[in-house]
Amino acid sequence: MNTTLLDAIKWDANGLVCAIAQDWQTRRVLMVAYMNAEALQQTVATGFAHYYSRSRQKQWKKGEESGHVQKVHELRLDCDGDAVIMLIEQVGGIACHTGRESCFYRVWDGEQWAVCDAVLKDEMAIYGQTHG
């Protein structure tokens, strides 16, 4: 069954869909964000990940401030149509605004959330200020 890009998506009440960025080679999940229709269309049109910021109420291209853009190799839609996975190449190796490879840098060790990934580049060096 061939369905158009936007029609297959089950958008939430705010017109958003969950978008997961996963490294195209290692398959590590790097980040989770949201896309609106415009962000998804721009992602497809440019080949680079675009998202919708719920806190800033605006669309943004990943890496527009940091330079850490995400080159999209493949888009996948889940069976329910309510989540997109993008297999991406993370330019600069940093997906998280904290300067780490992945936003998923904490592991539950049975008692607490322990930091398991090192900071690759200081947030101040990336943005000139704390971000987020």
Side-chain angles (χ1 to χ4, degrees), residues 22-81:
Q22 185 176 20
D23 185 278
W24 72 297
Q25 293 180 314
T26 67
R27 299 301 201 242
R28 182 174 186 190
V29 173
L30 301 178
M31 59 179 276
V32 175
Y34 290 87
M35 291 179 154
N36 61 7
E38 183 182 357
L40 181 56
Q41 289 172 313
Q42 286 201 339
T43 296
V44 169
T46 66
F48 289 91
H50 289 73
Y51 299 100
Y52 183 81
S53 170
R54 296 176 300 167
S55 61
R56 294 179 289 161
Q57 296 286 296
K58 72 173 202 161
Q59 183 184 324
W60 59 284
K61 177 183 177 186
K62 173 64 177 165
E64 65 188 13
E65 292 179 38
S66 67
H68 301 139
V69 296
Q70 296 175 338
K71 183 179 182 345
V72 179
H73 287 264
E74 183 174 285
L75 283 173
R76 290 181 172 252
L77 183 63
D78 81 334
C79 59
D80 295 323

Side-chain angles (χ1 to χ4, degrees), residues 2-130:
N2 211 357
T3 312
T4 67
L5 177 69
L6 300 179
D7 292 340
I9 307 290
K10 286 188 184 168
W11 305 98
D12 71 11
N14 297 312
L16 303 175
V17 66
C18 178
I20 302 156
Q22 185 176 20
D23 185 278
W24 72 297
Q25 293 180 314
T26 67
R27 299 301 201 242
R28 182 174 186 190
V29 173
L30 301 178
M31 59 179 276
V32 175
Y34 290 87
M35 291 179 154
N36 61 7
E38 183 182 357
L40 181 56
Q41 289 172 313
Q42 286 201 339
T43 296
V44 169
T46 66
F48 289 91
H50 289 73
Y51 299 100
Y52 183 81
S53 170
R54 296 176 300 167
S55 61
R56 294 179 289 161
Q57 296 286 296
K58 72 173 202 161
Q59 183 184 324
W60 59 284
K61 177 183 177 186
K62 173 64 177 165
E64 65 188 13
E65 292 179 38
S66 67
H68 301 139
V69 296
Q70 296 175 338
K71 183 179 182 345
V72 179
H73 287 264
E74 183 174 285
L75 283 173
R76 290 181 172 252
L77 183 63
D78 81 334
C79 59
D80 295 323
D82 61 0
V84 172
I85 288 184
M86 293 179 295
L87 298 180
I88 61 102
E89 180 180 341
Q90 181 64 61
V91 175
I94 296 172
C96 185
H97 76 276
T98 66
R100 292 177 173 87
E101 175 188 18
S102 171
C103 294
F104 296 92
Y105 61 86
R106 295 178 280 192
V107 174
W108 182 251
D109 68 6
E111 295 181 20
Q112 64 181 344
W113 290 105
V115 174
C116 63
D117 291 357
V119 172
L120 302 175
K121 188 172 184 181
D122 184 79
E123 194 174 343
M124 289 291 288
I126 296 171
Y127 301 102
Q129 61 186 5
T130 54

